[in-house]
């Protein structure tokens, strides 16, 4: 009897990560590439290429997988596989049938779900959330995503529960990409931080853009922010301090509302900045937490594979077989 293998793909604003997993979420093959420009058609094409490559690296053909799950940003309709209003990918506003297009192209069933829910589910089963009944997952990267586990189950609400990035931390504050004002993402998301750094760079000195230029990157990556902090760059330090305060208000308030046991921090910036910055966020959050007994704070354990591993759980029959 053959071991069932599943594909999982995490579609992000920066990269597409694909994995092949077997039981227990163990990765047996993986591949990644940069997210292309050219709208949803280009993304669908590259998702197919990346999962095919991951399958090859696992020593099999993509058609031998039981199914593929895709974690996508934006507004996802899991029942039809349609994705729309993707904020961090170019030219993806209208609905696009990502699931059906990929099912057709790959010749195996493809299920689409929310990217952050997938990452939270992976941490719940195999990562930092193992053994806890309730936790808040916060993914601090290009944007700020979130997901919620209560009573041992991922909470979806009407589909969007856990969107901590769009909790208001300052009424009438900065305009967020989502159209609202004062969202935590407008103060802490890597995208928003970069826009602000660009404005600051016209007024005062910062090494952020020199580092970007030297490394030949088109955005200020998490690694660049880290280097600038190490060099005590004033702009980087101030902007990240402000981000920490914004995250603290949002997380502390969410904890007061939900009384979760644990806060799990992931995402490119969250993981790159690591434990000491998580400690600062915890301290800021405690100032906004009602109880004396605050939850514990842990870094996500599955790293940048977490989203893809979680996505593989969406693959057909995954939930029945474990
Ligand atoms: Zn927002």
């Amino acid at each position: 009897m053959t071991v069932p293998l599943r594909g999982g793909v995490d579609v992000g604003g920066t990269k597409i990560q694909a994995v092949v997993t077997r039981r227990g979420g163990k990765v047996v093959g993986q591949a990644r590439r940069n997210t292309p420009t050219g709208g949803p058609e280009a993304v669908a094409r590259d998702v197919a290429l990346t999962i095919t490559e991951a399958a090859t690296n696992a020593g099999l053909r993509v058609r031998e997988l039981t199914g593929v799950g895709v974690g996508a940003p934006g507004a996802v309709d899991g029942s039809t596989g349609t994705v729309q209003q993707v904020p961090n990918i170019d030219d993806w506003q209208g609905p696009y049938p990502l699931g059906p297009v990929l099912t057709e192209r790959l010749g195996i069933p493809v299920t689409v779900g929310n990217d952050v829910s997938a990452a939270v589910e992976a941490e719940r089963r195999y990562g930092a959330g193992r053994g806890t009944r309730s936790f808040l997952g916060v993914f601090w990267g290009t944007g700020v995503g979130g997901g919620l586990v209560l009573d041992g189950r991922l909470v979806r609400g009407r589909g969007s529960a856990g969107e901590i990035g769009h909790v208001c931390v300052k009424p009438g504050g900065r305009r967020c990409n989502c159209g609202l004002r004062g969202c935590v993402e407008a103060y802490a998301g890597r995208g928003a931080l970069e826009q602000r750094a660009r404005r600051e760079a016209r007024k005062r000195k910062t090494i952020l853009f020199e580092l970007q230029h030297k490394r030949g990157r088109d955005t200020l990556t998490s690694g660049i922010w880290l280097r600038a902090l190490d060099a005590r760059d004033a702009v980087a330090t101030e902007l990240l301090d402000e981000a920490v305060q914004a995250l603290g208000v949002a997380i502390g308030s969410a904890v007061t509302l939900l009384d979760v046991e644990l806060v799990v921090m992931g995402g490119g910036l969250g993981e790159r900045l690591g434990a000491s910055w998580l400690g600062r966020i915890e301290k800021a959050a405690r100032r906004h937490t009602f109880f004396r007994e605050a939850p514990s704070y842990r870094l996500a354990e599955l790293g940048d594979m977490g989203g893809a591993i979680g996505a593989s759980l969406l693959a057909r029959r995954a939930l029945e077989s474990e």
Side-chain angles (χ1 to χ4, degrees):
M1 202 189 125
T2 54
V3 183
L5 294 169
R6 301 191 288 259
V9 187
D10 182 27
V11 180
T14 314
K15 64 180 179 5
I16 294 169
Q17 172 73 55
V19 295
V20 172
T21 61
R22 65 168 190 232
R23 199 175 282 270
K26 189 160 168 32
V27 175
V28 295
Q30 66 100 11
R32 77 162 58 176
R33 65 183 63 210
N34 290 335
T35 307
T37 52
E41 291 83 5
V43 173
R45 182 199 62 214
D46 281 13
V47 167
L49 290 172
T50 316
I51 188 63
T52 303
E53 202 182 319
T56 305
N57 292 339
L60 69 163
R61 282 170 304 166
V62 79
R63 278 170 194 263
E64 293 174 83
L65 299 173
T66 13
V68 174
V70 177
V76 178
D77 181 338
S79 61
T80 61
T82 301
V83 181
Q84 59 188 320
Q85 291 166 343
V86 182
N88 297 319
I89 297 182
D90 287 341
D91 304 320
W92 195 337
Q93 277 310 306
Y96 181 77
L98 184 64
V101 166
L102 287 170
T103 299
E104 167 83 26
R105 188 161 300 178
L106 297 173
I108 46 172
V110 177
T111 311
V112 182
N114 175 275
D115 58 344
V116 178
S117 299
V120 169
E121 182 62 10
E123 290 293 332
R124 182 182 80 78
R125 289 199 189 200
Y126 312 123
R130 265 190 332 269
T132 52
R133 299 281 298 161
S134 63
F135 73 90
L136 173 69
V138 181
F139 292 85
W140 183 20
T142 310
V144 179
L148 191 57
V149 171
L150 292 177
D151 296 326
R153 302 182 75 113
L154 185 70
V155 176
R156 295 175 196 277
R158 289 175 299 159
S160 313
E163 281 286 6
I164 194 157
H166 303 285
V167 162
C168 183
V169 291
K170 191 166 187 189
R174 262 182 224 121
R175 176 79 71 188
C176 180
N177 265 341
C178 74
L180 297 173
R181 279 190 181 277
C183 298
V184 60
E185 185 168 302
Y187 294 86
R190 197 164 53 73
L193 286 168
E194 178 162 344
Q195 282 174 19
R196 299 209 39 232
R198 215 168 276 288
R199 278 200 298 275
E200 290 299 316
R202 289 190 212 118
K203 293 182 266 176
R204 55 192 173 133
K205 194 172 157 34
T206 168
I207 61 165
L208 280 164
F209 297 99
E210 280 164 41
L211 289 172
Q212 180 189 353
H213 189 73
K214 250 188 239 163
R215 294 184 170 196
R217 311 302 290 258
D218 23 306
T219 56
L220 295 180
T221 59
S222 303
I224 292 172
W225 283 99
L226 192 62
R227 281 288 290 278
L229 288 173
D230 287 345
R232 301 180 185 280
D233 182 80
V235 170
T237 306
E238 278 172 42
L239 290 180
L240 280 167
D241 280 342
E242 197 180 26
V244 163
Q245 295 310 317
L247 286 163
V249 174
I251 293 171
S253 305
V255 164
T256 297
L257 182 68
L258 300 164
D259 193 18
V260 288
E261 292 164 56
L262 172 71
V263 174
V264 174
M265 172 68 68
L269 263 176
E271 284 173 26
R272 209 59 201 266
L273 295 179
S276 69
W277 282 79
L278 179 60
R280 292 189 204 190
I281 292 168
E282 175 178 357
K283 206 170 145 204
R286 276 175 186 265
R287 286 202 288 275
H288 304 282
T289 301
F290 178 70
F291 334 106
R292 223 172 308 157
E293 202 165 319
S296 15
Y297 286 72
R298 272 185 224 154
L299 288 173
E301 285 178 8
L302 302 174
D304 53 7
M305 297 274 197
I309 294 169
S312 75
L313 294 168
L314 295 165
R316 199 155 107 186
R317 287 190 289 166
L319 294 173
E320 295 128 68
S321 67
E322 283 183 24

